Amino acid sequence: QRRKKLLAKILGEWGQNDLPVHLLSEPRSITRNRLTGIQTVERRASEFFHALDALDEIGRNVIVDRLVKYQEPNFPGAKSSQIKQELELVQKFVKKLSSTPSRQIRKLSPRNYAAYFVISDIAAIYEWLTGLKATRRVDREAEAGQQDTGPFWDFAKAIWPFAFRNDTHGLSAAMKNWAFARKRYGEQSPLIENIKLRRPKWGPF
C-alpha cells in the first residue's frame, strides 16, 4: 500500500527529471557511425600488430634506424634505444587493442537509446512496485504470430504512450532489446535508487 501511494510521485519525478534526458539521447545514425569507426580502428590495429609481429629483428632495426635518422638527422645514433622502447610499447598497445575487440565483448549494434532507457526505467518501477522480477513473455501461439504478453508487458504498455506520445509503437522491439541486454550483461536501471537520494523526505520506499 505504501508503494501504491508513492507510485504517482515516482512516475511524476521520472517524467519531470529522467525521461526528458532519455528522450534527448542521440539518434541511432550517430551511434552507428561511431561504432563503425571503432570497428575500423580495431581492425586496422589487428592488421598493424600482425604486420609488426611478422618482422624479424633486422626488419625492426631498419624501422628504428629510419625513425632515428628522420627525427635526429645530425645525431643518427642518439635515440636508437628510445625508439626501440617506443616501438615495443606501441606493439603491446595494439596487441591489447586488437585482442579484445568490441565485437567479441558484445555484439555491436546501434540501440535506440531513448527507447532502451525508458523501458529499463519502467522495469525498475515495476520491480519496485510489485516485488517481482520484470521479464519478457511471448505468446508463440497467438493468431497474429508471436506477441508480447504478461504482467510486465501490461504495465509497460500503460506507461509507454505517455513517454513517446503514441500507442505502443516501438515497445515490443524495445522490450526485446532490453531483455537481451539484461540476460547477457545484467544491465539494470538505477532509477529508484536515484530518486531515493533526490527525495529523502518522501520517507521509506
Side-chain angles (χ1 to χ4, degrees), residues 68-69 72-80:
V68 170
K69 290 177 181 178
E72 299 290 340
N74 297 324
F75 305 96
K79 288 193 174 182
S80 294

Side-chain angles (χ1 to χ4, degrees), residues 191-204:
L191 175 69
I192 298 298
E193 294 302 319
N194 288 342
I195 294 179
K196 285 181 182 179
L197 294 174
R198 294 200 301 253
R199 302 296 183 182
K201 293 183 178 180
W202 285 3

Side-chain angles (χ1 to χ4, degrees), residues 67-116:
L67 289 171
V68 170
K69 290 177 181 178
Y70 173 77
Q71 294 181 5
E72 299 290 340
N74 297 324
F75 305 96
K79 288 193 174 182
S80 294
S81 60
Q82 181 180 341
I83 296 296
K84 284 184 179 180
Q85 290 179 354
E86 291 176 353
L87 187 60
E88 290 176 359
L89 290 175
V90 168
Q91 185 172 8
K92 289 179 180 179
F93 174 76
V94 295
K95 181 180 181 180
K96 289 181 180 179
L97 183 59
S98 62
S99 63
T100 56
S102 55
R103 61 179 176 274
Q104 291 181 4
I105 298 174
R106 63 169 65 187
K107 182 180 179 182
L108 276 176
S109 58
R111 287 176 176 169
N112 182 333
Y113 279 100
Y116 175 77

Side-chain angles (χ1 to χ4, degrees), residues 35 60 126 134 181:
L35 297 181
R60 296 171 70 87
Y126 174 85

